[in-house]
Amino acid sequence: MNEAIEVSDLEVTFGHGTKSFKAVQGVSFTVPFGQSFGLVGESGSGKSTILRALSVLVRPSGGRLQVAGGPLPLHPPKTFRRRVQLVFQDPYASLHPRHSIDRILREPLEVHGFDRREERILQSLDEVGLPRRYRYRYPHQLSGGQRQRVAIARALVLEPEILLLDEPTSALDVSIQAEILNLLSDLREARQLTYLLVSHNLAVVAHMCDRVAIMSQGKIVEVTDSRHLRTGTFTHPYSQQLWASSQGYFRDPAVLDVG
Amino acid sequence: MTSISPEAPLLEVEGLRVSFATQRGLVEAVRGVSFAMGREKLGIVGESGSGKSTIGRALMRLVPSPGVVTGQKLKVGGKDVLSANERDLQGLRGGKIAMIMQDPKFSLNPVMRIGTQIEEAIRMHRRVTRKAARAHAMEALLAVRISNPERVYHCFPHELSGGMGQRAMIAMMLSTQPDVLIADEPTSALDVTVQAQVLAILDDLVSRRGMGLIMISHDLELVASFCDRVLVMYAGRIVETLEASALSRAVHPYTRGLIACLPRLSEASSRLQTMQRDPAWSQV
Ligand SMILES: Nc1ncnc2c1ncn2[C@@H]1O[C@H](COP(=O)(O)OP(=O)(O)OP(=O)(O)O)[C@@H](O)[C@H]1O
Ligand SMILES: Nc1ncnc2c1ncn2[C@@H]1O[C@H](COP(=O)(O)OP(=O)(O)OP(=O)(O)O)[C@@H](O)[C@H]1O
Ligand SMILES: [Mg+2]
Ligand SMILES: [Mg+2]
């Protein structure tokens, strides 16, 4: 009961028959309440698909998912939607293009019957460092990083218990990133939140997460803790390679021939 | 690597300004930006919302309405972009300049298969048979480290992961062989291993084909190790220009502040340092 997220032998298959593709191939991990778990690894290895399965946006083809202490409902009730929030990797696609930022933040508050909406909207804008006047803009009138902050604000405004964060700071300059990561850390401490964080930035994951799974080709190759992630102590060669590449851009002649 | 002195600059930008009229007043996204670029890798870093993507769009003449672009000079390969008509622009965007947009999935056609989109781009720039275009498209996908190009060729954009969408976009832009490539956060959704391989491709195009590359990125370490020079933007203006390798010795307080905010893999800290922004930084 003290696991916020329990993923057992998860499989996700897209398409049918000979055209089918198994994006997630038997993935298992658990995240206790109040902890922060990182998913890193290869582009296309199934990280976002796992988050989508946990938000009931794709249906698994196998395995078991438990979220917030119970099996994942097929048709989640409103309360589930509030307690578990996903911040999408692709903020543009997840924000309604014809809704103002004000409406994007207000509607979920209305749906879930929150009081003091005005105050909450302003507070959430402040928290993600967006000037209050931006609430009257539309998504296309914002920069990439400003849109990403709207997506984070929309998730936080519902005061969820479990946050699924897909590359939440990849479009932000490092000073805004630092503010958002500090905010997430503070919230986790104050409200015992649980985070599942996907990022390609190993330093961000090491800073935010207690434990980390390294993924490649639909599978977890290794689970480790942030201490080992920092020192680059791994058992699997893929993890080692990933860590080595994170040390900045060095021209590797071996890479050249294939390009 | 040192920057090639721009003898015949690929890009000349002088006094570029871009503003948007909104119901609640004028938004000045770019407020007087000047720089020149040769056959080099020029990084642009800076605040979120400081106008980086807008500069890229202005160079392509793709600033959406009601945006207004003005300036003393805006030239790509000697051709004036500001006064160009629709036909000149098509020629420019065809061979001279291309841009990898920050939201790749948004800029790909959502109802067209990836392979078809890359083929169309190829056939627009080179006279090749359908069959040859297909072979080129497969090659381009393999080059950006798509491990299963057959499958991805037949995918629609929504069926790709974030990083696969970025790579599809890169493959498409490279097949047009531009003289200047503006890459807006081209590798932010790539794992570091694939990122290094994609950067090596871009690096080659600059050193072998003499392309000019503008690399917009928030990744300071990447820009410092990959680019030749770096422009630092704050509130619509360039506040500092540096040799990339000298980024750690930046003098502007905004740039120095940025570096201090970086989380580092080698050292644990309970809180990240944040920045006190000085209103004076955004004054002219
Ligand atoms: N709707 C879909 N239809 C078909 N295939 C899909 C679909 N969604 C995802 N996939 C495939 O599943 C695989 C995993 O994608 P996913 O988005 O989970 O990767 P990821 O690990 O998040 O990668 P990235 O780091 O690049 O964002 C990819 O090969 C992708 O093409
Ligand atoms: N159509 C528009 N109407 C009003 N303001 C706009 C419009 N488009 C962009 N802006 C504003 O112009 C400024 C510059 O935007 P731009 O996208 O160039 O920023 P950026 O430096 O690329 O930021 P990021 O790093 O977050 O992507 C932002 O403050 C943005 O809100
Ligand atoms: Mg993803
Ligand atoms: Mg941008």
Side-chain angles (χ1 to χ4, degrees), chain B residues 70-282:
Chain B
T70 59
Q72 280 91 57
K73 203 194 248 180
L74 196 60
K75 283 189 172 172
V76 177
K79 283 235 158 62
D80 185 24
V81 180
L82 281 173
S83 65
N85 61 27
E86 219 23 71
R87 243 187 88 199
D88 300 338
L89 284 177
Q90 269 184 5
L92 269 179
R93 290 183 202 134
K96 286 225 175 330
I97 185 163
M99 181 164 175
I100 298 168
M101 298 283 175
Q102 188 170 11
D103 296 275
K105 285 209 205 161
F106 187 75
S107 10
L108 289 165
N109 182 339
V111 295
M112 203 194 262
R113 293 182 196 277
I114 296 299
T116 321
Q117 298 193 43
I118 299 178
E119 273 177 32
E120 277 207 349
I122 293 172
R123 281 163 64 89
M124 214 132 76
H125 300 278
R126 279 181 271 170
R127 277 211 208 126
V128 290
T129 61
R130 203 164 270 280
K131 203 168 149 214
R134 190 193 149 101
H136 281 307
M138 282 302 183
E139 256 170 52
L141 286 172
L142 264 180
V144 292
R145 297 294 153 144
I146 297 280
S147 52
N148 188 344
E150 277 292 340
R151 182 176 72 86
V152 169
Y153 184 94
H154 293 286
C155 277
F156 289 103
H158 78 271
E159 296 174 326
L160 300 183
S161 80
M164 288 159 77
Q166 277 188 336
R167 283 178 282 165
M169 193 75 203
I170 294 170
M172 198 157 122
M173 286 308 148
L174 294 183
S175 52
T176 69
Q177 307 196 323
D179 294 335
V180 175
L181 180 65
I182 304 165
D184 196 352
E185 298 276 1
T187 61
S188 64
L190 299 183
D191 64 84
V192 280
T193 307
V194 170
Q195 178 182 72
Q197 291 162 341
V198 168
L199 291 177
I201 298 175
L202 296 176
D203 205 354
D204 271 0
L205 290 172
V206 175
S207 55
R208 289 198 195 154
R209 258 205 30 233
M211 185 179 81
L213 176 70
I214 292 191
M215 174 92 162
I216 301 173
S217 176
H218 288 303
D219 189 333
L220 299 178
E221 279 140 333
L222 183 153
V223 166
S225 54
F226 178 73
C227 293
D228 302 314
R229 282 193 304 145
V230 189
L231 310 179
V232 184
M233 301 256 327
Y234 189 84
R237 291 186 309 124
I238 297 171
V239 293
E240 188 164 22
T241 306
L242 294 150
E243 290 287 313
S245 53
L247 192 61
S248 57
R249 297 190 295 277
V251 291
H252 194 280
Y254 171 69
T255 321
R256 299 205 59 77
L258 272 187
I259 295 165
C261 293
L262 270 177
R264 294 185 194 271
L265 196 53
S266 52
E267 48 196 273
S269 63
S270 58
R271 274 188 94 68
L272 293 169
Q273 201 169 315
T274 55
M275 196 187 294
Q276 292 303 318
R277 292 177 184 76
D278 185 340
W281 299 346
S282 44

Side-chain angles (χ1 to χ4, degrees), chain A residues 21 41-44 89-90 92 136-137 141 143-147 149 167 170-179 181-182 186 200 202-204 206-207 229-230 238 241-243 245-249 251 255-256 258-259, chain B residues 22 24 27 46-49 102-103 105-106 143 145 151 161-164 167 185 188-193 196-197 199-200 203-204 218 220 225-226 254 258 261-265 267-275 277:
Chain A
F21 174 75
E42 209 179 7
S43 166
Q89 181 172 13
D90 201 357
Y92 219 149
Y136 301 110
R137 293 213 192 159
Q141 295 177 312
S143 77
Q146 289 165 347
R147 278 195 289 272
R149 284 180 269 169
E167 297 278 2
S170 65
L172 301 179
D173 68 75
V174 290
S175 72
I176 308 274
Q177 168 173 278
E179 284 163 25
L181 295 182
N182 284 343
D186 292 346
H200 286 304
L202 300 188
V204 166
H207 177 74
L229 183 64
R230 284 188 190 284
Y238 177 74
Q241 187 197 345
L242 191 69
W243 193 85
S245 315
S246 73
Q247 308 293 307
Y249 178 76
R251 196 49 195 270
V255 173
L256 279 182
V258 219
Chain B
T22 70
R24 285 160 201 274
V27 176
E47 244 210 336
S48 166
Q102 188 170 11
D103 296 275
K105 285 209 205 161
F106 187 75
R145 297 294 153 144
R151 182 176 72 86
S161 80
M164 288 159 77
R167 283 178 282 165
E185 298 276 1
S188 64
L190 299 183
D191 64 84
V192 280
T193 307
Q197 291 162 341
L199 291 177
D203 205 354
D204 271 0
H218 288 303
L220 299 178
S225 54
F226 178 73
Y254 171 69
L258 272 187
C261 293
L262 270 177
R264 294 185 194 271
L265 196 53
E267 48 196 273
S269 63
S270 58
R271 274 188 94 68
L272 293 169
Q273 201 169 315
T274 55
M275 196 187 294
R277 292 177 184 76

